[in-house]
Amino acid sequence: MNKNKSENGAVSKGRPIFFAILVLLAWSDLSARSAVNQKHYYAHDAVLDERGVIAPWYRGLNGQCDFRVRIAAETLKRYPWTTTNNAIAAYPDYLFTSKWKISTNGMISPQNPGDWMNGDLGQRSTSVLNGMVDYYRYSGDPAAIAHLTYMGDYLLDHALTLADHAWPKFPISVPVKGKPYGDADPHGMIQLDICADMGRGLLRAYQVCGNERWLEAVKHWGDLFAEKCNLNPNADPWPRYANPEDVKWRGVNKQTGGITMILTFLDELIRIGHTGKNGNIITARDAGVRYLNKRLLPRWTTNDTWGYYFWDWPNPVQNCSTTADVASYLITNKKHFPNWRNDSRNILTEFLMRSSTSPGSRGDVYSGAWAYPESSSCCGRSLWYAPLMDGAVMAQLGVEADDAWLRELGYRQLILQTYDAHESGVTEDNIDGGVIVNGNWLNIAHPWPLRWVLSAIGWLPEELGANRENHLVRSSAVVNSIIYGKGKIIYSTFDAPPETIDVLRISFAPKKITADGKELRSRRDLRKNGFTVKKLSNGDAIVQIRHDGAKEIVVTGNDSQKVVPAAALNYEGKWEQRRDDFTFYASAKDAAVAAKFRGNQIRLVGCADQFGGQAEVFVDGEKQVVPIDFWNPSPRTEQILYYKNGLKNGEHTLRIVSLGSHNPYSQGDQIYVSGAQFSAEEGSHHFPTGTGPIGSQRMIFGYTDRRDYRDSHGEFWRPATEVITRVGHGRDTMPASWWTNASETVIGTHDPELYRYGLHGRDFWVNLTVGPGKYDVRLLFANTRGKDTHQNCFDILLNGKSVVEKFDVTATAGAPNQAVDLVFKNIAPSNGVVEVRFKGAGAFVQALEIGKHLHGKGATPVSSTILKQD
């Protein structure tokens, strides 16, 4: 990952000077203030919907998230290669380092990282492996399989410990020692949660590519995790590092929330049938689940419980990666975690508060969407990549828990954060425009969003998916082959255990779906094998398929796209037709083929194999930044070799020109064409506008119980976490501003629990994400801490408008420890949010309720006449 500071506060070696300046100085002259609505975000001018909430800047029919996925994939596909003269092997340069530069016109220049800056190998490989597995399913582009092959082979050939190591033949996840572009040095850091994440990524890649060497390697890694697991129920099952003696900081060899990365890896091994000697992988997994349930989840409000992940500093604070991974694990493994809804919600949303503490970053809500850095200790105004990850998991939770609030939080974050990219591959991560991290760190700029934007599309295909196209957006299994044909989508999954469910967004309603040749039934739900169809307003359909025990799926229907067969394309130079199908092939330099079409999207269909060469691509005479590489480790037919969407509807020409060359792994220069698919379909299923939760929301400040409080009327109150309080860079909001010890006595209420805890500070505000309409807001107070509220009075503002000045809680309630409520009626959201702000030296609040037509009118606030003393 990328931190702006080293452990002693100095800027890490190799970081640009402006990055340090941004952290230390930018915005430092601004006092804390509430959410702002800017005219420009990241790389583009802001576009708002009719209610002032962030809306897509990108207007292509495919949609903004699909655009972002294509840019990420194309950047990796066109990455420069090393040679055996400058590296230990010939590979795309990003396998060796994330350090890069990209010019405004998209020219990529890999940079030598030195030892220390190459330490993100584990995180980088995890992003690439998982991202490319999902990208192949989504696009049918065999280039994903080629890049899985490069990364998988590189890890096993050049990034493992030796056979005599304490953890033999095990990943060196953080190779911060040794020669760059050489073999990884085992005296770099071996961080076990990251190693497990690498194992899961490689295991999923195996399920696509079928490389048995990868399978044997990850089975061995799993055996090591099981062998070295401490099964004592009072101990941590694993430490943070396999080699703490090589770690430059001491005393941080503790495995906390990152344990879910280990558990996910072990679960995947168990799923495919590898349970270890005498089932010891299952035993180790169960020990980890017990540790998470008994030791970590009860400490959910402790800062470092979800910390200790990033490789380049100790990271004793909650971070975006652990937060997302833990929450997703709870959601995915509901049977182990009966409180999964609350626990995953609490962990995800407490991070909104924790990561927004720095005045320099000013994480907050922008035009209705949350934006925040990777932790309380990073990274200036780079408020971009953390919400891609955590927003995607919020979307997952919103869907799985049927929670409109979390669904909306996730959706808005993905729209705002995909404001970053240009067609050239340049990506701006400074929310005000410009580059902070992405200009130097490839993993964050492209592999990371490839993985997480695809995840978000999978959970919110209706809101974020491409219009009038065909995509398999999510599967609980791994898709190892897919053909996107006209009116027929054919795919297979590696396995199909119980509750195997796939989700597609396609441009037609299916007429027939078969699983292993057996026709599936259309159903209202997926309690059994079958499928459901939700028709969208533009003719698209969201299709969900359950196929337990069946791996070969065929979806057929009336697809409006058109096909130009290979024989009808225009050829230049020497081409031949293969005998066994309708594919044409050529190998000579400058052999060309062109497809003229009328539409707004085009896909080149063809083959990739061990003899594949390379070709340039032109659209309407303009050379595209990404070429086509027809190489694949094994033959794949009817694949989508190149696609371009978001075009203006009209006449276009796609032209492919052979370069007469190949990558170092190919045995030939052949390029293959089987036809082209295109469409002129119009009509987008509108992006959501005026959405969001309209039901009541209730929250208690300072409340740390994992189970929501049920009041005397049967209503549930959750911990209040959507709070901004600028307690300082790297500081923890909770001990600085929460009081969590229950007051013994609260009078004047049937629900004293609502007034026992609270939050205090000189200036803090609550961002309440809501749908359209007007709301009542109830604020709950009681002076339970013995403060002189006459002198420590404060102001209350709603959406920036003062509603109470110099509020004296005790005088309003009539006595200390007396409960008192203020109620404000008919409050309209601003930019999709109702913001409640508290300002003053003695500001505090215990609980808050927002909803339509709340009962009761509340007390009349008493204002103090005491003026602030010098």
Side-chain angles (χ1 to χ4, degrees):
M1 266 305 277
N2 41 79
K3 303 296 301 177
N4 62 306
K5 291 293 190 70
S6 67
E7 60 183 312
N8 61 6
V11 179
S12 299
K13 182 179 180 181
R15 301 300 174 127
I17 293 176
F18 68 82
F19 191 69
I21 294 174
L22 219 148
V23 171
L24 297 173
L25 300 177
W27 309 105
S28 61
D29 60 335
L30 296 175
S31 60
R33 59 178 182 172
S34 55
V36 294
N37 303 306
Q38 301 183 170
K39 294 182 178 180
H40 185 96
Y41 293 118
Y42 303 114
H44 301 280
D45 290 340
V47 177
L48 307 181
D49 70 14
E50 61 186 14
R51 301 184 185 278
V53 177
I54 195 70
W57 68 267
Y58 178 82
R59 295 301 181 177
L61 197 64
N62 53 309
Q64 189 164 301
C65 285
D66 178 87
F67 167 81
R68 187 61 180 91
V69 165
R70 178 175 65 80
I71 297 304
E74 288 187 352
T75 302
L76 295 180
K77 286 163 60 176
R78 67 187 176 89
Y79 215 82
W81 281 55
T82 61
T83 70
T84 53
N85 293 326
N86 62 11
I88 199 168
Y91 280 122
D93 197 286
Y94 71 77
L95 271 67
F96 292 97
T97 173
S98 261
K99 192 169 176 61
W100 77 322
K101 287 186 179 179
I102 183 168
S103 66
T104 54
N105 63 357
M107 182 68 68
I108 296 172
S109 301
Q111 305 290 303
N112 189 315
D115 295 347
W116 182 255
M117 295 289 283
N118 197 37
D120 77 332
L121 171 62
Q123 293 176 330
R124 184 187 345 131
S125 62
T126 295
S127 295
V128 171
L129 292 170
N130 286 294
M132 284 298 182
V133 166
D134 293 344
Y135 179 67
Y136 177 68
R137 177 201 67 219
Y138 179 82
S139 66
D141 183 349
I145 296 167
H147 284 259
L148 291 173
T149 301
Y150 305 145
M151 182 61 81
D153 285 348
Y154 167 73
L155 292 178
L156 297 195
D157 291 338
H158 304 292
L160 299 185
T161 61
L162 298 178
D164 60 353
H165 194 275
W167 289 68
K169 295 295 182 181
F170 194 72
I172 303 165
S173 60
V174 187
V176 293
K177 297 179 181 179
K179 181 180 178 182
Y181 293 97
D183 288 331
D185 188 323
H187 292 290
M189 292 179 283
I190 302 174
Q191 192 171 325
L192 292 177
D193 51 358
I194 297 178
C195 292
D197 227 6
M198 296 167 73
R200 174 180 179 258
L202 190 57
L203 184 52
R204 295 186 75 225
Y206 155 73
Q207 293 174 58
V208 177
C209 303
N211 189 317
E212 293 293 331
R213 186 168 75 113
W214 300 353
L215 175 61
E216 293 307 310
V218 295
K219 287 164 63 176
H220 168 65
W221 302 351
D223 291 341
L224 285 173
F225 271 110
E227 174 189 328
K228 295 178 180 294
C229 179
N230 188 336
L231 299 178
N232 183 337
N234 297 315
D236 300 352
W238 297 277
R240 182 180 185 184
Y241 297 104
N243 59 339
E245 68 278 3
D246 291 318
V247 180
K248 73 175 188 177
W249 39 77
R250 305 299 180 185
V252 290
N253 194 27
K254 183 177 181 60
Q255 189 64 251
T256 53
I259 198 170
T260 58
M261 299 176 192
I262 300 174
L263 298 179
T264 302
F265 172 47
L266 299 183
D267 283 341
E268 194 70 8
L269 283 171
I270 295 166
R271 166 192 169 124
I272 68 168
H274 182 68
T275 58
K277 184 178 180 180
N278 298 322
N280 64 352
I281 289 181
I282 297 175
T283 303
R285 188 275 313 275
D286 291 346
V289 169
R290 181 175 61 246
Y291 177 71
L292 180 56
N293 261 320
K294 301 296 184 181
R295 299 280 295 281
L296 297 184
L297 288 173
R299 299 177 65 248
W300 72 273
T301 61
T302 303
N303 200 5
D304 66 355
T305 301
W306 318 121
Y308 298 112
Y309 173 69
F310 293 127
W311 62 267
D312 57 345
W313 70 306
N315 187 208
V317 300
Q318 185 173 6
N319 66 74
C320 59
S321 294
T322 306
T323 296
D325 202 87
V326 171
S328 186
Y329 189 78
L330 300 178
I331 300 164
T332 305
N333 295 274
K334 302 177 181 65
K335 65 180 180 179
H336 295 312
F337 306 100
N339 197 46
W340 64 272
R341 286 182 177 84
N342 287 1
D343 285 335
S344 54
R345 177 204 65 201
N346 293 345
I347 294 166
L348 283 168
T349 59
E350 72 172 321
F351 187 62
L352 300 176
M353 174 174 57
R354 275 210 167 104
S355 61
S356 303
T357 185
S358 173
S361 71
R362 289 182 39 241
D364 208 327
V365 168
Y366 292 81
S367 298
W370 278 91
Y372 42 89
E374 69 174 41
S375 74
S376 62
S377 306
C378 188
C379 292
R381 292 288 280 166
S382 182
L383 308 183
W384 169 74
Y385 53 91
L388 285 176
M389 183 184 219
D390 289 21
V393 180
M394 287 181 191
Q396 178 187 8
L397 179 56
V399 171
E400 293 284 75
D402 192 22
D403 189 314
W405 168 62
L406 285 158
R407 192 180 185 116
E408 187 75 8
L409 285 177
Y411 164 72
R412 293 187 191 181
Q413 286 176 71
L414 265 292
I415 292 299
L416 177 59
Q417 309 318 321
T418 49
Y419 264 61
D420 69 297
H422 297 275
E423 182 77 31
S424 64
V426 172
T427 169
E428 301 182 34
D429 63 303
N430 184 338
I431 194 168
D432 309 310
V435 179
I436 298 175
V437 174
N438 291 9
N440 291 296
W441 219 275
L442 173 73
N443 179 39
I444 298 302
H446 289 295
W448 182 289
L450 178 69
R451 178 183 181 184
W452 292 107
V453 176
L454 280 169
S455 176
I457 292 173
W459 289 107
L460 299 178
E462 183 175 347
E463 295 90 337
L464 301 177
N467 293 286
R468 314 308 287 141
E469 296 184 13
N470 299 325
H471 296 284
L472 176 50
V473 298
R474 175 162 53 92
S475 176
S476 54
V478 172
V479 173
N480 56 18
S481 176
I482 191 161
I483 295 173
Y484 287 103
K486 173 178 168 56
K488 179 180 284 190
I489 301 170
I490 305 170
Y491 67 94
S492 62
T493 56
F494 176 81
D495 59 3
E499 298 186 42
T500 296
I501 295 177
D502 307 329
V503 180
L504 301 92
R505 176 164 174 167
I506 55 180
S507 62
F508 59 93
K511 287 190 172 182
K512 182 180 179 180
I513 299 178
T514 63
D516 283 356
K518 182 179 179 180
E519 186 168 354
L520 295 176
R521 292 177 53 189
S522 174
R523 298 183 179 275
R524 291 186 177 181
D525 58 53
L526 295 180
R527 296 179 184 178
K528 298 180 180 180
N529 279 7
F531 67 93
T532 64
V533 178
K534 179 180 181 180
K535 296 181 179 179
L536 305 184
S537 61
N538 64 337
D540 287 355
I542 306 295
V543 181
Q544 299 194 59
I545 304 171
R546 179 167 177 174
H547 56 98
D548 301 2
K551 298 187 289 186
E552 305 288 336
I553 312 299
V554 180
V555 181
T556 56
N558 294 328
D559 190 348
S560 59
Q561 71 176 326
K562 296 177 172 56
V563 173
V564 181
L569 298 173
N570 300 315
Y571 295 93
E572 303 171 26
K574 184 179 178 180
W575 288 78
E576 298 182 59
Q577 184 175 3
R578 296 203 309 200
R579 294 180 180 180
D580 56 345
D581 59 20
F582 297 103
T583 297
F584 283 68
Y585 66 94
S587 59
K589 180 176 170 51
D590 295 329
V593 59
K596 293 185 177 182
F597 66 98
R598 182 175 183 82
N600 50 41
Q601 55 180 271
I602 180 75
R603 285 162 177 75
L604 181 72
V605 182
C607 309
D609 64 16
Q610 305 95 314
F611 305 95
Q614 298 167 320
E616 291 181 330
V617 182
F618 296 83
V619 175
D620 298 335
E622 181 179 350
K623 181 180 174 180
Q624 303 299 289
V625 293
V626 64
I628 302 174
D629 192 330
F630 292 78
W631 179 81
N632 208 265
S634 58
R636 298 260 175 171
T637 60
E638 299 181 73
Q639 302 290 276
I640 306 299
L641 299 168
Y642 176 83
Y643 68 94
K644 185 79 171 191
N645 48 17
L647 298 169
K648 183 178 180 180
N649 222 337
E651 299 287 344
H652 300 282
T653 301
L654 172 68
R655 187 167 182 263
I656 311 299
V657 181
S658 172
L659 289 169
S661 63
H662 58 265
N663 75 43
Y665 296 90
S666 179
Q667 302 172 42
D669 299 334
Q670 294 183 357
I671 67 174
Y672 308 92
V673 178
S674 304
Q677 303 169 356
F678 68 95
S679 173
E681 286 292 298
E682 296 278 8
S684 62
H685 180 68
H686 63 83
F687 67 87
T689 179
T691 55
I694 58 174
S696 295
Q697 300 181 48
R698 302 175 183 88
M699 58 202 71
I700 307 173
F701 297 85
Y703 183 70
T704 61
D705 201 298
R706 290 167 56 200
R707 297 195 177 274
D708 293 354
Y709 170 68
R710 186 173 184 175
D711 68 17
S712 57
H713 299 288
E715 305 292 355
F716 287 93
W717 297 68
R718 67 174 185 253
T721 50
E722 307 97 289
V723 183
I724 303 294
T725 175
R726 309 281 194 223
V727 297
H729 180 80
R731 294 191 62 198
D732 185 8
T733 300
M734 290 185 177
S737 58
W738 285 33
W739 76 83
T740 58
N741 296 322
S743 302
E744 294 183 0
T745 303
V746 179
I747 59 177
T749 176
H750 294 295
D751 291 294
E753 192 74 4
L754 299 179
Y755 303 83
R756 294 189 190 277
Y757 323 91
L759 185 145
H760 64 91
R762 286 181 171 273
D763 188 1
F764 62 90
W765 54 96
V766 188
N767 294 316
L768 303 166
T769 299
V770 294
K774 291 191 175 181
Y775 296 85
D776 299 341
V777 176
R778 184 192 311 276
L779 304 178
L780 287 68
F781 303 92
N783 181 14
T784 59
R785 296 184 300 151
K787 299 290 184 179
D788 183 349
T789 62
H790 187 58
Q791 295 195 46
N792 292 284
C793 55
F794 54 94
D795 299 341
I796 302 173
L797 298 86
L798 296 179
N799 290 334
K801 181 179 179 180
S802 178
V803 291
V804 179
E805 294 183 352
K806 299 182 176 63
F807 178 45
D808 185 332
V809 173
T810 304
T812 304
N817 296 321
Q818 174 84 33
V820 65
D821 299 352
L822 301 183
V823 177
F824 305 93
K825 296 285 189 176
N826 298 318
I827 307 300
S830 175
N831 303 97
V833 170
V834 173
E835 180 196 273
V836 186
R837 187 170 186 178
F838 304 84
K839 295 186 66 174
F844 70 93
V845 66
Q846 268 101 347
L848 183 153
E849 181 181 19
I850 183 170
K852 297 186 176 182
H853 312 299
L854 298 182
H855 297 296
K857 64 178 183 178
T860 300
V862 176
S863 295
S864 172
T865 57
I866 297 292
L867 298 178
K868 181 179 178 182
Q869 302 297 312
D870 292 335

